[in-house]
């Protein structure tokens, strides 16, 4: 079978031969891969600073943002059937019986670090013609979302981020006591940092949750990302036109920041203007490198005197995948053109090296196996 992989000890990236997987356990499902998204993490793995092959393999099959079609089910598979579309999650639990998160199906909070991640850490990914997965790590996708479902996994990052923000903000009774059982961003301001796929999907999530939503990004206006942002009723602000210090004049008090830029200097600049009682969600994973100066005294004063919550979030749980299905349907209904424009283009597998190694272009590029 053809797969896209990295061979770190030979510093190679490209198409490799990978044996076709077979069902090993009764609760497993075999899936024909349809779409796999390419993201910054994949590109970083291709520079060999991140990611690891499984034990005993000298290569790692890439791909963690996948969707496919069920082609075979084990005898104990309960809900899925042949022909269903599914999206797999990324992280698999560690085996330590004392790891409370992993034992509670919350491996996104794994406390031992011994988790594996498909296509990233010690476990092959989905950038290959077919793969096998246990039913509990798959989310059913309604057929009408077939063409958008490749966006599910990056969307789960925003869903988990927002769920974490609501948990943190339930300390505020006026946020906790919401009318119809669901917290709402109505009357609150959210700033999204960055307009890559994580940022744009984050903006859609916050907008759908009711926030007045602003996307702060470097590219000058006009540009295609800004068009998507404006199409969903959010506002695009270029750092070319507005210095970060002036953002509160435009936005008002910043109640929530969703960081999706991965550049620590910008992230900390914007942390310094977070509003009173605000929540700041970090999602970026900058490569280790030179240290940057920050005004730590001022930051610490703000965090304490402003009752601020600063949260890091990685990966996503099952609830976030369920939430992503709902939101994707909402985006498709309300902003059909905008959500479709997030997928820049589908490419055949032969384009993998350009997509992974050349300068990133567009928003979300996808390798299609269909
Ligand atoms: C993936 C997450 C993963 C993280 C860290 C991200 O690109 O979307 O699922 O946990 O990388 O490896
Ligand atoms: Zn990713």
């Amino acid at each position: 079978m053809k797969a896209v992989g990295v061979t770190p000890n030979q510093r190679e990236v490209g198409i490799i031969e990978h044996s076709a997987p077979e069902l090993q356990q009764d609760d497993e499902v075999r899936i024909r891969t349809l779409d796999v998204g390419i993201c910054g993490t994949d590109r970083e793995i291709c520079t060999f600073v991140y990611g690891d092959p499984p034990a005993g393999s000298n290569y790692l099959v890439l791909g963690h943002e996948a969707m496919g079609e069920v082609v075979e089910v084990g005898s104990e598979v309960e809900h899925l059937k042949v022909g269903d579309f599914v999206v797999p999650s990324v992280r698999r639990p560690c085996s330590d019986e004392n790891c409370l998160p992993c034992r509670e199906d919350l491996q996104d909070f794994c406390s031992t670090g011994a988790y594996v991640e498909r296509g990233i850490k010690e476990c092959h990914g989905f950038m290959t013609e077919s793969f096998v997965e246990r039913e509990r790590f798959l989310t059913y996708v309604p057929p009408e979302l077939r063409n958008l479902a490749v966006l599910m996994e990056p969307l789960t990052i925003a869903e988990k981020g927002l769920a974490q923000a609501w948990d943190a903000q339930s300390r505020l009774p006026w946020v906790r006591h919401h009318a119809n059982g669901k917290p709402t961003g109505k009357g609150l301001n959210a700033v999204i940092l960055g307009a890559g796929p994580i940022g744009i999907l984050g903006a859609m999530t916050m907008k759908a949750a009711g926030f007045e939503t602003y996307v702060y990004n470097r590219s000058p206006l006009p540009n295609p990302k800004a068009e998507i942002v404006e199409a969903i009723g959010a506002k695009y602000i270029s750092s070319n036109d507005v210095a970060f210090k002036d953002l509160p004049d435009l936005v008002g008090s910043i109640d929530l920041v969703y960081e999706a830029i991965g550049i620590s200097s910008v992230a900390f600049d914007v942390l310094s203007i977070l509003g009173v009682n605000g929540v700041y969600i970090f999602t970026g994973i900058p490569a280790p490198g030179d240290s940057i100066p920050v005004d730590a005294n001022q930051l610490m004063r703000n965090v304490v005197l402003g009752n601020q919550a600063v949260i890091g979030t990685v990966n996503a749980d099952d609830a976030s995948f369920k939430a992503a299905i709902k939101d994707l349907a909402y985006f498709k209904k309300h902003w059909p053109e905008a959500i479709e424009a997030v997928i820049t283009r589908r490419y055949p597998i032969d384009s993998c090296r350009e997509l992974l190694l050349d300068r990133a272009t567009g928003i979300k590029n996808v390798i299609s196996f269909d």
Side-chain angles (χ1 to χ4, degrees), residues 39-42 50 64-65 90-91 115 117 120-121 153-154 156-157 198 285 314-316:
C39 89
T41 303
D42 301 310
Y50 194 61
H64 59 274
E65 304 182 358
V90 179
R91 199 176 272 197
Y115 61 82
E117 288 182 338
I120 301 175
K121 181 176 183 279
E153 196 278 338
T156 62
I157 305 299
I198 298 280
I285 312 174
V314 68
N315 202 255

Side-chain angles (χ1 to χ4, degrees), residues 120-133:
I120 301 175
K121 181 176 183 279
E122 296 157 27
C123 189
H124 288 311
F126 310 117
M127 238 178 246
T128 175
E129 295 168 46
S130 79
F131 62 91
V132 163
E133 190 48 270

